[in-house]
Every structure is written in C-alpha cells, then in structure tokens.
Amino acid sequence: MRFTHTGEQADFARTLEKLLAGADTVAAARAWAEGDSAPGLGLWHTLAEQGVHALLVPEEFDGMGATPVELVIAMEAIGRHAVPGPYVESAAFLSQVLTGEQLSGLAAGTVATVAVPPHTPYALDGDVAEEAYLVDGESLSTAGVGEVRTSIDPSRRLVSVTAAEAVGELERAKLRNAFDLAALATAAQLLGAGERILADSVTYVKQRKQFGREIGSYQAIKHQLADVRIALDFVRPLVDGAAVAPTSRDCSAAKVAAADAAYRASRVGLQVHGAIGYTAEFDLSLWLLKVRALVSAWGTPAFHRARVLESLVSR
C-alpha cells in the first residue's frame, strides 16, 4: 500500500515546517525547561492560529473536522522541532473526550492537559495549563495541580493532579479511541524527533574530520546511519497506515516501531557526535532527552507489544 498526502495535506505540512523552522523552537524548549513558558506559549498560540489544536474537533464546536492524518502531520513537525507543550494531551486525547464549551475552547487554543493513569500518571505541563483534567477509570473530572515531578526531559514538566469537579462518565470505546490517538500522536512525534537527529548527525559527520578525512567517509559510520535511515523508513508506513484507519493494534504497532527507531537514532546520533553529544549546551541533547521520555509516554513498549500480540492471537 502506498500512502501519499493530498495537495491540502502537503500544503499543511509545508506551512508548519516553514513556520517552525523560522521560529526559535530550541530557545523556547530551553526556556520552558527553566520555567519560562512565554516563548513556548507564543508557539502554542501561533500553532492554534494554524488550526493544529482544532484538527480533530468537530466543525460544530469551531473545529476543523480533519482526520488523524493531519494530526500525524502536525505531530511529526512538532517532534522534529522539539516544540514544548502538551500537544498530544490536548489535540489528540482531550479533543476526543471533551464536549461543549470546553471543546470549543480547546479548538481556540486553550492550554489544556490531562492525566490518564496508569499509563500517563502525571499531567504534562500541568503547571502551565489553563485547564487540567484527570481520567480515573471511565470518569473524567477537572483536576487540581500539585507538585512538579522530576522528568528525564526537563522540557516535559510532569505534574501531580487530584480530581476536583466531575465532568462526566466516558464510554469505554471513546476512551480507548482517545488513548489510541494519543499513542499514535506520540509515535508521530518520535518519528519527527528521529528524523531530526538523523539529519543533524549526517550534517555533522560531513563536517567533522579525523585523520584528515570527514568521519562520515568511514564505512562504520555510514552503516550505522544507514541502519537508522532504514528503521525510520519502516516506521513511516506504520504511522501513516494507522492514521488512515486507527485501530488499537495499528496504533500500538506504530508506537512500538517509532520508539525503537527513534531510540536507535538517538544512540547512533550520540555516538557519531562523540562526547559533545552528552553536553546539555549542545542542541542534540534536547532531542535525545525527548526521545527517551516519549518512548514510555502513553504506554511503554512492553504494553503496546502485548496489545499487538493480544490482537493477533485473538483473531
């Protein structure tokens, strides 16, 4: 099966890429990690004007009524540029479970986040969000935010939440669909981050010289980067296929493959950059930490592998 974007989807991807490439997303991510949310919120509202937060919101609630394909396009761009903020929580998960004015607010750019234990026990960026929610079983409630927890990725601020006012009960199928889309959106972010690490690594090995030669001319380096290229190329059809017809099995398969490929990209990227890849001051570290955090976000690889296995053996 061959996946191609429509003209409108390709234009949407180019617009986001141009917008984010022209914004200083690295500075925004670093500021977000240090507690200065202003640059990141500026990006949030700029992307809201492009309709990113409204993609899956129905038109009757001021949304775009788009499909998960457009969501995946947006999330890959966000991952590629390390944009901070609870985009998966808002645009993917909450767009499927909120209703009425809360849903319209989401489409307009309200900064909202959610905790969905056990897989997402903390509300991402809950200390910045205007609205926080908690899903307990099949119950949805607003949430009060508490302590900011230590995160492996400082630009992903994890916050404890407690239930406040009940919003309503969620149908099991609706809750499962929202979780699947959140996992798929996370897979798309991993794909974008992996692509960025590979691109930066290829650029670096063409510049860095050792023994009078660019290190990228050595077979050992070429082979490792080629393996990353192949791994990411295998992920893309899984992500695109799951976006066309989202099922729990396909979304989980996309999440597992994207996590494996992005983590491989991180390891190779770190190695070819040498010791400099470890330093927090070097921009590569932003993507290395983000990939490590996203691998376990919205379900660990073990959980999603078990889901795929269960689906296959029950057929």
Side-chain angles (χ1 to χ4, degrees):
M1 184 178 294
R2 182 181 180 185
F3 301 102
T4 58
H5 291 155
T6 65
E8 289 184 350
Q9 289 167 345
D11 288 343
F12 180 55
R14 281 193 291 269
T15 299
L16 289 182
E17 182 62 28
K18 184 177 180 181
L19 187 155
L20 293 175
D24 195 350
T25 56
V26 168
R30 291 192 183 282
W32 194 277
E34 294 171 0
D36 177 9
S37 58
L41 290 178
L43 284 172
W44 179 278
H45 294 299
T46 298
L47 291 176
E49 293 172 358
Q50 298 299 319
V52 169
H53 308 293
L55 286 173
L56 298 188
V57 176
E59 294 180 0
E60 59 264 35
F61 294 104
D62 305 320
M64 305 287 287
T67 71
V69 175
E70 284 81 6
L71 177 72
V72 162
I73 290 171
M75 291 299 162
E76 183 179 346
I78 288 169
R80 182 181 301 113
H81 292 279
V83 181
Y87 289 92
V88 170
E89 289 69 19
S90 176
F93 187 90
L94 288 173
S95 68
Q96 303 303 297
V97 300
L98 293 182
T99 58
E101 294 182 359
Q102 292 166 323
L103 191 54
S104 297
L106 203 70
T110 298
V111 184
T113 188
V114 64
V116 189
H119 302 296
T120 306
Y122 303 111
L124 181 64
D125 303 313
D127 56 333
V128 177
E130 300 165 87
E131 297 178 0
Y133 296 91
L134 172 65
V135 174
D136 183 7
E138 296 176 10
S139 299
L140 175 66
S141 63
T142 60
V145 298
E147 179 184 0
V148 178
R149 314 286 293 196
T150 301
S151 171
I152 192 171
D153 177 5
S155 69
R156 290 175 52 85
R157 300 170 64 82
L158 305 179
V159 180
S160 301
V161 294
T162 54
E165 184 177 349
V167 175
E169 295 294 314
L170 299 173
E171 296 177 5
R172 185 170 299 180
K174 175 181 283 191
L175 185 57
R176 183 175 60 247
N177 178 61
F179 181 84
D180 289 344
L181 289 177
L184 177 60
T186 305
Q189 282 201 357
L190 282 163
L191 177 58
E195 290 283 5
R196 177 59 179 263
I197 293 171
L198 177 59
D200 286 357
S201 298
V202 170
T203 299
Y204 182 78
V205 300
K206 290 180 178 177
Q207 298 171 347
R208 177 82 165 85
K209 291 186 177 180
Q210 196 169 45
F211 305 115
R213 295 170 54 187
E214 293 85 2
I215 63 173
S217 66
Y218 293 101
Q219 287 295 323
I221 300 292
K222 288 181 179 178
H223 286 171
Q224 291 212 57
L225 293 172
D227 286 344
V228 174
R229 178 69 274 157
I230 292 170
L232 291 171
D233 283 348
F234 273 111
V235 169
R236 187 170 296 283
L238 290 176
V239 171
D240 288 345
V244 171
T247 65
S248 295
R249 183 181 66 188
D250 290 349
C251 291
S252 285
K255 176 68 165 45
V256 169
D260 286 351
Y263 193 63
R264 177 189 287 269
S266 296
R267 293 179 61 185
V268 172
L270 182 60
Q271 186 172 11
V272 302
H273 277 83
I276 193 173
Y278 282 106
T279 61
E281 292 78 8
F282 195 60
D283 290 346
L284 177 68
S285 65
L286 293 177
W287 282 274
L288 297 182
L289 294 176
K290 185 170 293 295
V291 166
R292 187 65 189 86
L294 290 177
V295 163
S296 299
W298 292 98
T300 64
F303 167 77
H304 285 292
R305 283 194 175 92
R307 253 181 139 201
V308 173
L309 176 62
E310 182 180 359
S311 173
L312 291 174
V313 299
S314 64
R315 296 177 68 182

